[in-house]
């Protein structure tokens, strides 16, 4: 601060500035980096106004969007109906597989040859309608 006071005192010999005069532009050496960046980013405040406008556009979109409860309830009912149809189809498939006759020796063969647990071997054998050769071919190629 002291160097500024000396410069004013020695630079203006007897000519005092009136209080109503506009302030002089700051010396570039006296401005900080932050002030320079602020001046570059905000030449006349246009960038701040534009950013505010962008935010209001986003929030306005959300505020004007309405939820149609009837449409939502129809969508949920449709999903529930599809789910029950899928469960029913799965139960029917399990009934078909349970009706297939498989021999214990075939299950044991698949367990020892393919190193599977009994449940998986039985399931695969039932899926291939009890055909051991087709089951083994499918398991080898898979």
């Amino acid at each position: 601060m002291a160097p500024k006071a000396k410069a004013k005192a020695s630079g203006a010999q007897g000519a005092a500035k009136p209080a109503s005069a506009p302030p002089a532009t700051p010396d570039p050496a006296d401005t900080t980096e932050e002030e320079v960046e602020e001046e570059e980013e905000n030449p006349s405040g246009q960038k701040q106004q534009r950013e505010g406008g962008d935010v209001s556009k986003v929030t306005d979109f959300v505020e004007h969007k309405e939820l149609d409860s009837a449409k939502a309830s129809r969508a949920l009912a449709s999903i529930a109906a599809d789910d029950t149809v899928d469960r029913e189809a799965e139960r029917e498939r399990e009934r078909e597989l349970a009706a297939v006759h498989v021999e214990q020796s075939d299950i044991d063969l698949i367990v020892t040859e393919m190193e599977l647990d009994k449940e998986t071997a039985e399931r695969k054998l039932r899926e291939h309608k009890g055909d051991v050769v087709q089951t083994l071919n499918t398991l080898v190629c898979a």
Side-chain angles (χ1 to χ4, degrees):
M1 292 282 174
K4 290 181 185 179
K6 287 181 183 178
K8 284 184 179 180
S10 63
Q13 297 177 0
K17 293 182 182 179
S20 63
T25 57
D27 185 22
D30 291 343
T31 59
T32 63
E33 289 181 25
E34 292 176 2
E35 291 173 350
V36 172
E37 289 176 5
E38 286 178 12
E39 289 176 5
E40 290 174 0
E41 289 179 5
N42 301 323
S44 63
Q46 291 175 353
K47 186 172 183 176
Q48 286 180 345
Q49 290 174 353
R50 188 178 66 207
E51 287 176 358
D54 292 344
V55 171
S56 67
K57 288 178 185 176
V58 172
T59 55
D60 287 344
F61 176 73
V62 173
E63 290 173 5
H64 292 295
K65 190 174 182 181
E66 295 180 14
L67 178 64
D68 185 10
S69 61
K71 192 175 185 180
S73 63
R74 283 192 305 259
L76 287 174
S78 173
I79 291 170
D82 290 346
D83 192 33
T84 57
V85 169
D86 289 344
R87 281 192 219 141
E88 187 58 38
E90 189 175 323
R91 283 189 214 123
E92 184 62 32
R93 176 72 176 152
E94 290 299 323
R95 284 187 211 120
E96 290 174 4
L97 291 177
V100 174
H101 175 71
V102 292
E103 294 184 20
Q104 187 62 37
S105 61
D106 294 340
I107 296 171
D108 292 337
L109 175 69
I110 293 173
V111 166
T112 56
E113 293 298 321
M114 302 306 294
E115 298 180 358
L116 297 173
D117 58 293
K118 281 192 171 194
E119 293 81 25
T120 305
E122 185 176 356
R123 171 80 180 191
K124 294 294 182 184
L125 193 57
R126 287 185 188 276
E127 287 175 355
H128 292 95
K129 296 179 177 54
D131 187 3
V132 178
V133 176
Q134 187 180 9
T135 304
L136 287 171
N137 282 334
T138 302
L139 290 171
V140 168
C141 293

